[in-house]
Amino acid sequence: MTIRVLLADDQALLRATFRILIDSCDDMEVVGEATDGNEAVGLTHTLRPDVVLMDIRMPGSDGLGATTAICADPDLSGTRVLILTTFETDEYVARALHAGASGFLGKDVTADVLLDGIRTVSVGESLLSPLATRSLITRFLAAPAPADRLATPELLATLTSRERQVMALAAEGKSNDEIAESLFVSPLTVRTHVHRAMTKLGARDRAQLVVIAYQSGLVQAPPPAS
């Protein structure tokens, strides 16, 4: 199955580079290009890409507003947003993850990392660097106002002990295979627990599940290095 990608970046040279790279792969193709956030939202509605490769900082309407609009639209639930950023610990990235982005990559990543990242988020997995994620959530998301919480205590109380355990391990950056090995269960069982937790908590994807784990105190972010 071909992964359909929409590029959203105001730099024409960067978009051209990404297009050449992505179109060179047998399993993915670029279906459109946007130069600002509004255009990205409009083209997402029209083209229904599997993944939007979204730059955060664009003139005019930025990628944060576009990410929020795309992820909040039930009609676009099949589209994943992958954030491209110059700074991994940018507050805008934290807000994009809160809004529903599936992960983020620095603009200095290698071609292989970028392509693997697109493949990862296209199947509903998150693309989060554990170290950077903890830094982001410590600085911006760990103690949100009640209105900014992604899940209420009542919803969290509906999780089984195993779902909480799997959710905590996922928030620590472990893959399904690594969680399965540590709990002596199959990866399929882990995937089932992850999806049940997402459904109960109303999480759009695994990335939002990670945010909820930190917001709720299920996982504690480590203190900043001295």
Side-chain angles (χ1 to χ4, degrees):
M1 187 175 71
T2 301
I3 302 168
R4 304 172 74 254
V5 181
L6 173 68
L7 304 178
D9 197 296
D10 61 305
Q11 299 181 49
L13 180 59
L14 196 57
R15 293 199 312 274
T17 301
F18 287 152
R19 176 181 279 276
I20 292 170
L21 178 63
I22 292 169
D23 284 346
S24 70
C25 299
D26 294 335
D27 62 337
M28 61 182 75
E29 65 174 340
V30 173
V31 296
E33 298 182 21
T35 59
D36 63 24
N38 285 339
E39 191 175 10
V41 175
L43 286 176
T44 300
H45 275 283
T46 301
L47 301 173
R48 303 299 172 106
D50 300 303
V51 177
V52 179
L53 203 56
M54 181 82 75
D55 185 20
I56 281 288
R57 295 180 177 180
M58 293 181 283
S61 54
D62 64 14
L64 177 60
T67 298
T68 302
I70 290 169
C71 295
D73 192 332
D75 289 338
L76 302 178
S77 60
T79 296
R80 299 289 178 254
V81 177
L82 178 57
I83 298 296
L84 284 174
T85 176
T86 306
F87 304 102
E88 281 195 342
T89 54
D90 193 326
E91 177 184 359
Y92 290 113
V93 178
R95 290 166 63 188
L97 291 176
H98 185 279
S102 295
F104 60 91
L105 286 172
K107 285 192 173 181
D108 58 349
V109 296
T110 65
D112 287 343
V113 170
L114 174 65
L115 295 173
D116 286 344
I118 293 171
R119 294 183 181 103
T120 296
V121 300
S122 73
V123 295
E125 296 294 332
S126 62
L127 189 68
L128 304 174
S129 158
L131 180 60
T133 301
R134 292 179 191 187
S135 174
L136 282 168
I137 294 176
T138 298
R139 293 173 62 191
F140 304 116
L141 299 177
D148 291 332
R149 291 187 178 276
L150 291 179
T152 64
E154 290 77 16
L155 287 177
L156 287 163
T158 66
L159 298 181
T160 66
S161 59
R162 180 62 96 184
E163 287 164 355
R164 285 174 172 268
Q165 189 178 23
V166 168
M167 181 175 166
L169 291 171
E172 291 173 2
K174 296 187 183 300
S175 67
N176 285 349
D177 287 345
E178 290 170 333
I179 297 173
E181 184 176 354
S182 66
L183 298 181
F184 303 103
V185 297
S186 71
L188 178 59
T189 298
V190 172
R191 192 175 303 112
T192 299
H193 286 309
V194 167
H195 281 287
R196 284 178 179 169
M198 286 169 50
T199 299
K200 289 180 178 180
L201 298 177
R204 188 174 195 271
D205 60 13
R206 193 184 183 101
Q208 283 202 331
L209 199 65
V210 170
V211 172
I212 293 170
Y214 281 96
Q215 285 187 341
S216 67
L218 183 63
V219 174
Q220 298 291 329
S226 57

